[in-house]
Amino acid sequence: MFSLNCRGTVNSNSSFLDFNTKNKMTGIPDFQGAKTYILKRQEEGLSPNLYYHSLRHVLDVYAAAKRIALEENINESDSILIKTAALYHDCGYMISETEHEMASCAIAKESLPLFGYSSKAIKVICNIILATMIPQKPKTLLEEIVCDADLDYLGRSDFYSIGNLLYKELLEKNSIKNKAEWDKRQLQFLKAHTYFTKTSKINREPQKREYVKQLANYKSNNL
């Protein structure tokens, strides 16, 4: 159980909680309101020492999730769930860095009803968030899309620059000792990782395999 602290608590008087009459009448959630709310909360609440798990990462995953959902021909209502889950998936870092997925769900359950999200929709969103826990174990296409979006960078040209942010974050937390250990762990992670959607398998898997080769060669040349 998580109790939301001052950085994770929803302010019921906030202007972010107003959604228009049309949304109330049709049952359509106010996605833009939820987006504005959670981005602002994370901008204010995420630790500056989260070099990788930053607002930049949230926006990166959000953009990737939108793209993958489009290429996977996801309908509009499910796309809203995917985009919302992408925006909320790491907000739990404002509360707990060890069980942040559960904390993210706690924030989602408290705040999303205020933006017109149904309990059924929130359950789907939380399942998507929980599926991103490493090792990823998605059970639905929606979960697969956000899991792939979360690690989209593994098969992109900015793999090393983004990876260096995670290395810096882990190093400051004493979760890793040095660059040699980081390279070893990163190679192991890449080998164990799999993309789930057809889109990511086509667009990201080939480059990811190249990085596996590069890191393996680097390791063998530095023994």
Side-chain angles (χ1 to χ4, degrees):
M1 295 294 293
F2 293 91
S3 58
L4 304 187
N5 62 19
C6 61
R7 293 182 296 180
T9 302
V10 174
N11 177 3
S12 60
N13 294 320
S14 172
S15 60
F16 298 127
L17 305 186
D18 296 327
F19 54 90
N20 60 43
T21 303
K22 179 180 178 182
N23 288 336
K24 291 179 181 179
M25 293 177 63
T26 63
I28 300 173
D30 177 19
F31 168 71
Q32 289 300 327
K35 176 184 177 183
T36 300
Y37 167 77
I38 198 59
L39 287 179
K40 182 172 178 60
R41 294 300 305 181
Q42 290 177 95
E43 182 180 18
E44 295 174 346
L46 288 172
S47 168
N49 294 327
L50 292 171
Y51 305 108
Y52 173 82
H53 293 100
S54 62
L55 189 62
R56 186 216 61 80
H57 170 68
V58 175
L59 294 173
D60 182 78
V61 174
Y62 171 67
K66 283 175 59 180
R67 174 182 52 79
I68 298 171
L70 183 63
E71 295 189 34
E72 293 287 329
N73 296 311
I74 302 300
N75 63 47
E76 183 178 358
S77 59
D78 283 345
S79 290
I80 289 176
L81 301 181
I82 288 169
K83 291 186 294 184
T84 304
L87 291 169
Y88 271 78
H89 84 285
D90 272 349
C91 67
Y93 270 96
M94 295 186 293
I95 299 172
S96 171
E97 294 185 12
T98 55
E99 296 182 315
H100 65 273
E101 295 93 353
M102 293 298 295
S104 295
C105 286
I107 295 173
K109 288 176 181 178
E110 183 184 53
S111 63
L112 289 178
L114 299 165
F115 297 101
Y117 285 75
S118 68
S119 57
K120 181 179 179 180
I122 295 170
K123 183 177 181 180
V124 173
I125 290 167
C126 283
N127 285 340
I128 294 173
I129 292 171
L130 293 175
T132 65
M133 188 182 302
I134 304 298
Q136 296 176 332
K137 295 180 180 179
K139 297 178 181 179
T140 68
L141 179 57
L142 273 62
E143 292 173 10
E144 290 179 348
I145 289 171
V146 178
C147 283
D148 282 357
D150 194 19
L151 296 172
D152 186 65
Y153 83 98
L154 296 180
R156 295 193 325 227
S157 60
D158 54 357
F159 165 71
Y160 287 111
S161 61
I162 291 179
N164 285 336
L165 294 175
L166 182 55
Y167 169 61
K168 183 179 180 181
E169 183 176 312
L170 295 176
L171 194 64
E172 284 200 7
K173 295 177 184 177
N174 295 316
S175 297
I176 200 164
K177 296 179 181 178
N178 50 47
K179 189 65 163 54
E181 182 184 350
W182 165 247
D183 289 337
K184 180 180 178 181
R185 285 175 57 175
Q186 189 163 223
L187 178 58
Q188 291 173 338
F189 185 81
L190 282 175
K191 287 182 175 180
H193 172 264
T194 182
Y195 284 115
F196 302 99
T197 63
K198 181 179 179 181
T199 297
S200 294
K201 286 178 179 179
I202 293 173
N203 296 334
R204 297 293 183 246
E205 185 66 29
Q207 184 60 57
K208 188 192 77 173
R209 291 178 181 176
E210 287 300 314
Y211 291 136
V212 170
K213 293 179 183 178
Q214 291 175 17
L215 287 171
N217 289 335
Y218 177 81
K219 179 181 178 182
S220 62
N221 292 332
N222 287 273
L223 290 176

